[in-house]
Amino acid sequence: MTTSDTFIQPDYTALEQAPVAPDPFPHVVVPHFIRSEDLGRLFAHRPHIVSGGSFPPESLQLSPLMQHLVEELEGPRLKAIVAEKFHLNLDHAPSMLTIRGRTREKDGRIHTDSLAKRVTILLYLNPSGAGEAWERQAGCLRLLRGPHDIEDYAKEVPPVDGTLLIFPNGPTTWHGHKQFVGQRYTIQLNYMTEDARARSELRRHKLSALVKKLPLPQLGQ
């Protein structure tokens, strides 16, 4: 197995050149942050996830390719670019990464992220030609002007083809999507605050990784 078989280099240049859009809150969208020529390999190596919810990577069986991508995203280069682009000091910000593979009926409701999360980064790993859902706007993330109307959005981001979305979190960073049930792969990376609230969330994250990694009991035992 060659290095190229187990390594994907995201398009950092595209991220560096992407403008910060101000409406409805500062954000950056980078289509094909995972380059087109790498998408097929990455789609084939997504972990098998049959239930909803967020999974720490430690709780999943990741291929070398996926593991290296996770390590790359948690590395210093992405953090440095995000810090410069949004004028943030993230030198000591802890990171928390999770992977989703399925969206449930209850997911996607209008919300803001926990204030323990300073920055939210979403990398979408779904092929655009997999069906009609994205064309119907189901499952497409909307950046909203307020907390009450999913149709009152300034930007809609289809969750496809290695698209990257980044925004500093805050009390008015409302987002959500129209109801979608089915396969919807997302890597979410957050740069956290350094207070007690963030430490508590990071502890829950580590506990979740441990619990989800434990084998399920077999029926009849």
Side-chain angles (χ1 to χ4, degrees), residues 10-18 35 77 81:
D11 193 347
Y12 292 113
T13 300
L15 173 58
E16 290 169 336
Q17 295 175 351
R35 295 177 175 88
R77 187 170 181 183
I81 296 172

Side-chain angles (χ1 to χ4, degrees), residues 44-55:
H45 283 267
R46 295 175 302 183
H48 183 57
I49 300 176
V50 298
S51 58
S54 298
F55 292 82

Side-chain angles (χ1 to χ4, degrees), residues 129-189:
E132 299 178 356
W134 319 131
E135 286 73 16
R136 296 197 311 270
Q137 299 176 297
C140 296
L141 192 72
R142 293 178 172 182
L143 307 186
L144 303 166
R145 297 187 178 95
H148 303 300
D149 186 359
I150 195 68
E151 299 298 337
D152 185 18
Y153 63 95
K155 180 70 176 180
E156 183 176 68
V157 183
V160 299
D161 294 344
T163 293
L164 184 74
L165 168 65
I166 306 173
F167 57 88
N169 188 39
T172 61
T173 54
W174 302 103
H175 55 284
H177 59 74
K178 295 171 70 174
Q179 188 179 95
F180 174 79
V181 177
Q183 188 180 86
R184 185 177 180 274
Y185 274 87
T186 310
I187 295 178
Q188 178 167 331
L189 172 65

